[in-house]
Amino acid sequence: MSKIDTALPHVRAIPPYPPGRPIDDVAREFGLAPATIVKIASNENPLGCSPKVSQALTALASGVNLYPDFDCYELTHALAAANGVEPAQVLPAAGSSEIIQLVARAFLEPGRAAIIPQYSFQAYIGAAMSVGAQGLFVPAQDFAVDLDALLDAVTERTTVLFLASPNNPTGTLIAPDALDRFVDALPEHVLLVIDDAYCEYVEPALRFDSVAALRRRRNLLVMRTFSKIHGLAGLRVGYALGDPDLLGVLRRLQVPFSVSAAAQVAAVAALADTAFAERSRIENAQERARLALELTRRDIAFLPSAGNFLLLHVGAGAELADRLMRQGVIVRPVDGYGLQEWLRVSIGLPAETDRFLAALDEVHAAARQKV
Ligand SMILES: Cc1ncc(COP(=O)(O)O)c(C=O)c1O
């Protein structure tokens, strides 16, 4: 009997998470120089991170023999101040991915169900399945989240509902007033998990106030990450905001010291550099608009996006991604989401967008020649 035969059936059934391929990996496979490769596949910040983060990490270098602060005191207090909540309402974690896992382990089991909008971040279904719970997909409407259908799908077995706005991989935004109504309408026995991973990219006037929602609904967890606008994806740090009792439950399941010392000091420094985050938001919006224009010129459809990526309608998505990769441009196929005809492209620096467009034009020109 192989080892895999003894693994739990519901674990074996989990679809593997398909990450964006690392630059070095693609360089090795296709014999390309890493410096010539453009990675616009994982919704990272192309501007890097705040220079204050580098300073904080350098200062930390001599103290790495010590375990990090288990309670993440500095980070927790900085986050509480930044969000206008009490420190007890903040739980730092190793990325929002860790929080998704904690939620599943604390609130799901066989016989319970998590509601997941169609075309949502793949980690939700993986987490639900990992504990033997049902992940119930609710169909989207024109690729956007159908809030009424989510409400209709709730049963007494539903204990968790995941909702991201802007959503990945579609980029769609739920109107703040509609989301407010949803927060109030969702039955109280369901833990609503609002995934704010891309919220800082939203124009302030359109941004949902998830902290205000916390004041109205107890059974609500807000997840945020430092991986996106703050540019710390490589360090793995995010946090949850919620009721202290709810966070206390999640904390019991957390791997001790899951938030490394580097992640803690970097996050504190990143949070303080509001100018960097604001510049990232503005430049992302400008470059997203430019990419949108270039796509329109080429007759390529895409969904309106409030995030740092666009979902393009390209025909055979995985095949195009492969052709682009051979030219040193890494983008993200989304067939794992049932979006075989689409491709997700992160908003890069202008030069990266240009490389993508040039590679795209070359693939299309080669295809025309074949015909
Ligand atoms: C919607 C959404 N939530 C959460 C995450 C995970 O972020 P983290 O790096 O904090 O684990 C991502 C990452 O792509 C995401 O797209």
Side-chain angles (χ1 to χ4, degrees):
M1 188 187 283
S2 82
K3 282 208 175 64
I4 188 106
D5 290 332
T6 56
L8 301 170
H10 64 265
V11 175
R12 286 194 311 210
I14 300 172
Y17 180 73
R21 284 188 64 182
I23 288 178
D24 285 343
D25 196 23
V26 172
R28 270 190 301 271
E29 183 174 339
F30 298 104
L32 300 166
T36 65
I37 295 178
V38 165
K39 182 184 178 213
I40 41 175
S42 301
N43 303 343
E44 295 144 335
N45 189 335
L47 297 172
C49 64
S50 158
K52 295 197 168 80
V53 168
S54 320
Q55 289 160 16
L57 288 174
T58 309
L60 173 80
S62 59
V64 294
N65 54 316
L66 302 178
Y67 279 101
D69 174 3
F70 184 57
D71 292 326
C72 304
Y73 181 92
E74 293 284 343
L75 179 56
T76 302
H77 280 73
L79 286 167
N83 288 292
V85 298
E86 293 300 318
Q89 292 174 279
V90 180
L91 179 66
S96 23
S97 300
E98 185 186 20
I99 299 163
I100 296 168
Q101 296 281 338
L102 297 177
V103 165
R105 288 168 58 211
F107 294 96
L108 293 168
E109 63 174 351
R112 296 189 183 194
I115 291 183
I116 303 171
Q118 188 184 17
Y119 315 131
S120 308
F121 186 41
Q122 209 160 338
Y124 307 153
I125 184 67
M129 290 175 74
S130 74
V131 293
Q134 186 194 8
L136 184 74
F137 285 113
V138 171
Q141 203 177 37
D142 289 333
F143 296 97
V145 174
D146 183 343
L147 294 174
D148 290 335
L150 293 182
L151 287 178
D152 286 347
V154 172
T155 69
E156 71 281 0
R157 296 193 317 122
T158 312
T159 48
V160 177
L161 190 150
F162 290 103
L163 197 56
S165 178
N167 182 48
N168 173 23
T170 55
T172 52
L173 185 74
I174 303 171
D177 53 341
L179 192 43
D180 263 327
R181 282 194 298 276
F182 183 81
V183 166
D184 297 333
L186 186 70
E188 198 42 56
H189 74 276
V190 182
L191 172 62
L192 173 58
V193 181
I194 294 190
D195 187 341
D196 262 352
Y198 301 98
C199 68
E200 298 95 339
Y201 284 107
V202 180
E203 204 182 305
L206 293 176
R207 210 173 282 169
F208 177 67
D209 190 347
S210 38
V211 172
L214 282 174
R215 287 192 282 272
R216 302 201 315 274
R217 184 184 173 92
R218 231 181 138 207
N219 212 1
L220 170 64
L221 191 76
V222 175
M223 297 193 300
R224 301 254 178 87
T225 181
F226 282 90
S227 300
K228 305 300 172 188
I229 209 155
H230 295 296
L232 302 185
L235 286 174
R236 314 305 305 123
V237 53
Y239 61 101
L241 299 176
D243 180 82
D245 292 340
L246 169 57
L247 298 186
V249 169
L250 300 184
R251 202 187 299 268
R252 285 183 180 82
L253 293 166
Q254 216 170 5
V255 171
F257 310 110
S258 73
V259 188
S260 74
Q264 292 186 37
V265 296
V268 170
L271 195 65
D273 196 345
T274 49
F276 176 82
E278 185 58 3
R279 181 182 147 219
S280 299
R281 181 183 71 78
I282 291 169
E283 292 192 14
N284 175 72
Q286 285 166 349
E287 194 55 13
R288 190 178 60 204
R290 188 174 78 91
L291 175 58
L293 194 71
E294 290 293 340
L295 292 169
T296 305
R297 280 200 185 126
R298 288 164 174 80
D299 250 345
I300 297 173
F302 56 88
L303 297 184
S305 169
N308 61 341
F309 54 91
L310 284 181
L311 190 66
L312 280 49
H313 191 217
V314 293
E319 195 184 313
L320 178 58
D322 190 62
R323 285 180 201 275
L324 294 171
M325 191 155 58
R326 286 165 198 280
Q327 298 201 39
V329 178
I330 313 174
V331 294
R332 184 70 76 95
V334 281
D335 37 352
Y337 292 95
L339 292 163
Q340 279 80 359
E341 296 190 357
W342 299 75
L343 201 59
R344 198 190 68 194
V345 178
S346 303
I347 306 304
L349 299 172
E352 293 174 320
T353 305
D354 289 343
R355 267 293 301 284
F356 164 70
L357 291 168
L360 189 68
D361 290 345
E362 210 165 305
V363 170
H364 285 155
R368 273 197 300 274
Q369 263 179 6
K370 264 195 187 160
V371 178

